[in-house]
């Protein structure tokens, strides 16, 4: 989501454990602007609620990190992970041992008895490769796993993504990953939810967590993200959602005399003068040439409008270059070159 020009990475699920006392208060979600992490936190939380059957292995996946400024200040700090568990809704918590995977980023658990077990993770960053003093700490949300003796089928699934546009060019300030989530009916289904995509040339998805990462080779197109649950009786349910992969701009086709607007896609955001220092420069490359003409400079506009496009501009290319100063560093992003097609005024445009 985008609030006050800042993207909030909502790492939580649709469920909660309001009746469970956490070992420590969960940390806030990560906030980003132009791909820069403004605070430390999680982008993938362990699922708040999981239903399964006894003896079935559950993988609690996480992904977390520090702010971009924090990394610049202490680049060699290393994360240390510790998992805790509770069987009495948080009245008491015990540390999970190293032998049981308690010091890993992800945790695999199971139980041979019906009942509920709750888990919470602490991430602590330490200087000097993890041996020095602590400089930052976060806590995950509580993950509750409810074990039953009998399987329960999933009947319906509804898939969504936090962001439906991802960038395909390497840059610190362009969003190239998101997370797919699903609402399942009934909530207490017991089989695994598996994620997939239809085109690995465009994007890769973690089949367990739903983390979707766009390619960094400039390949553009639409990738279909699918969530599937195969029930123990052989039936299955699935749902899909499309995500656009691109360099930020789309080609435009208009008739002569009409206006044409090239606008940045996805979560780039737009700031006022009082916010972080960034500028946008728009360029044009006339058809059949290698010229680089500056058409708008020192602006904060993430769109460029050609008021009255003419046939002489047909096949011209347009792109934007974004420069942002954050703390003492400067970050840049160059969009793809988008083509302008201008047809005679009497033409019909087929969409």
């Amino acid at each position: 989501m985008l609030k006050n020009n800042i993207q909030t990475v909502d790492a939580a699920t649709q469920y909660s454990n309001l009746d469970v006392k956490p070992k420590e208060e969960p940390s806030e979600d990560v906030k980003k602007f132009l791909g820069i992490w403004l605070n430390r936190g999680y982008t993938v939380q362990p699922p708040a609620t999981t239903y399964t059957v006894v003896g079935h292995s559950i993988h609690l996946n996480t992904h977390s990190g520090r702010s971009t400024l924090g990394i610049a200040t202490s680049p060699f700090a290393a994360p240390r992970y510790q998992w805790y568990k509770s069987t009495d809704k948080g009245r008491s918590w015990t540390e999970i041992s190293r032998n049981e995977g308690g010091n890993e980023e992800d945790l695999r658990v199971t139980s041979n008895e019906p009942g509920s077990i709750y888990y919470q993770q602490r991430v602590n960053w330490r200087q000097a490769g993890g041996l020095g003093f602590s400089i930052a700490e976060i806590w995950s949300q509580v993950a509750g796993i409810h074990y039953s003796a009998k399987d329960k089928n999933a009947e319906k699934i509804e898939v969504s993504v936090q962001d439906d546009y991802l960038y395909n060019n390497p840059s610190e300030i362009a969003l190239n990953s998101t997370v797919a989530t699903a609402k399942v009916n009934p909530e207490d289904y017991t089989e695994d939810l598996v994620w997939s995509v239809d085109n690995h040339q465009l994007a890769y998805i973690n089949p367990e967590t739903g983390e979707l990462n766009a390619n960094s080779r400039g390949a553009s197109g639409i990738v279909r993200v699918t969530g599937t649950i195969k029930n123990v009786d052989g039936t299955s349910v699935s749902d899909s959602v499309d995500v656009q992969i691109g360099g930020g701009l789309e080609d435009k086709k208009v008739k002569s005399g009409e206006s044409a607007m090239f606008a940045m896609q996805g979560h780039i955001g737009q700031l006022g003068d009082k916010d972080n220092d960034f500028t946008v420069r728009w360029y044009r490359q006339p058809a059949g040439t290698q010229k680089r003409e500056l058409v708008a400079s020192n602006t904060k506009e993430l769109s460029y409008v050609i008021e009255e496009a003419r046939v002489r501009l047909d096949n011209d290319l347009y792109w934007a270059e974004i420069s942002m100063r954050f703390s003492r560093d400067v970050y840049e992003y160059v969009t793809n070159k988008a083509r302008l097609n201008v047809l005679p005024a009497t033409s019909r445009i087929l969409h």
Side-chain angles (χ1 to χ4, degrees):
M1 67 190 72
L2 201 62
K3 294 181 178 179
N4 299 324
N5 305 316
I6 295 175
Q7 179 205 6
T8 299
V9 182
D10 185 2
T13 70
Q14 69 268 34
Y15 308 123
S16 62
N17 290 302
L18 299 179
D19 59 340
V20 179
K21 181 181 179 181
K23 181 172 177 57
E24 296 290 342
E25 190 67 23
S27 303
E28 65 176 338
D29 293 331
V30 168
K31 294 181 175 63
K32 293 182 181 180
F33 174 74
L34 293 171
I36 292 175
W37 288 40
L38 302 179
N39 64 302
R40 58 180 177 267
Y42 285 87
T43 56
V44 174
Q45 294 266 18
T49 303
T50 301
Y51 294 91
T52 189
V53 292
V54 294
H56 185 70
S57 178
I58 297 296
H59 196 185
L60 298 178
N61 295 275
T62 68
H63 186 261
S64 58
R66 294 187 296 143
S67 68
T68 301
L69 182 58
I71 293 174
T73 303
S74 51
F76 302 111
R80 297 180 67 178
Y81 304 97
Q82 181 60 61
W83 286 90
Y84 300 86
K85 70 177 180 179
S86 172
T87 56
D88 55 10
K89 291 193 172 183
R91 288 189 294 272
S92 63
W93 289 88
T94 59
E95 187 175 284
I96 299 176
S97 69
R98 179 182 296 273
N99 291 337
E100 295 177 299
N103 300 126
E104 301 296 328
E105 181 177 16
D106 300 331
L107 181 67
R108 192 171 290 277
V109 297
T110 189
S111 176
N112 294 321
E113 298 179 358
S116 299
I117 305 177
Y118 301 90
Y119 298 87
Q120 190 175 18
Q121 183 193 61
R122 180 193 70 199
V123 185
N124 187 284
W125 282 270
R126 292 180 175 272
Q127 281 285 27
L131 300 177
F133 60 90
S134 173
I135 62 170
E137 182 176 277
I138 59 172
W139 288 81
S140 75
Q141 69 179 0
V142 173
I145 303 180
H146 308 285
Y147 296 92
S148 64
K150 186 178 180 180
D151 288 290
K152 190 166 187 178
N153 284 354
E155 300 174 359
K156 183 180 180 181
I157 180 174
E158 182 180 340
V159 168
S160 62
V161 289
Q162 294 175 355
D163 304 278
D164 58 9
Y165 191 100
L166 299 179
Y167 295 91
N168 57 16
N169 292 324
S171 172
E172 298 92 338
I173 64 173
L175 185 67
N176 67 347
S177 66
T178 190
V179 178
T181 58
K183 292 182 179 180
V184 182
N185 183 31
E187 295 180 356
D188 56 345
Y189 71 98
T190 56
E191 295 307 303
D192 293 333
L193 168 60
V194 179
W195 295 100
S196 62
V197 293
D198 65 346
N199 190 335
H200 291 284
Q201 298 300 313
L202 291 177
Y204 167 80
I205 195 166
N206 185 311
E208 293 184 324
T209 66
E211 291 177 273
L212 180 70
N213 290 276
N215 76 90
S216 58
R217 304 180 305 277
S220 299
I222 296 176
V223 63
R224 175 152 293 187
V225 177
T226 300
T228 302
I229 300 171
K230 294 183 178 180
N231 295 313
V232 71
D233 65 358
T235 62
S236 65
V237 293
S238 65
D239 189 35
S240 301
V241 64
D242 290 341
V243 177
Q244 181 84 32
I245 309 295
L249 298 179
E250 297 180 349
D251 294 342
K252 294 295 178 181
K253 181 181 290 187
V254 297
K255 292 191 292 187
S256 179
E258 295 180 342
S259 65
M261 182 175 72
F262 293 98
M264 288 291 296
Q265 306 295 304
H267 280 161
I268 280 290
Q270 186 169 350
L271 298 179
D273 294 337
K274 65 180 181 180
D275 294 292
N276 292 326
D277 181 21
F278 88 105
T279 58
V280 183
R281 299 178 302 277
W282 286 90
Y283 291 91
R284 166 178 172 256
Q285 180 179 318
T289 74
Q290 296 298 318
K291 293 182 179 179
R292 171 187 170 99
E293 296 181 359
L294 181 66
V295 293
S297 62
N298 296 323
T299 178
K300 293 185 181 295
E301 294 298 325
L302 293 168
S303 61
Y304 177 72
V305 178
I306 303 167
E307 295 295 346
E308 294 185 358
R310 299 300 180 187
V311 174
R312 60 181 173 79
L313 301 178
D314 186 43
N315 281 320
D316 285 359
L317 300 176
Y318 293 83
W319 71 96
E321 296 183 0
I322 302 171
S323 178
M324 176 179 176
R325 182 176 297 278
F326 185 77
S327 185
R328 293 172 295 179
D329 299 315
V330 176
Y331 302 89
E332 293 185 343
Y333 180 72
V334 180
T335 72
N336 62 305
K337 293 181 178 180
R339 187 177 302 277
L340 175 63
N341 288 135
V342 184
L343 304 179
T346 56
S347 300
R348 291 184 58 192
I349 299 179
L350 301 178
H351 295 285

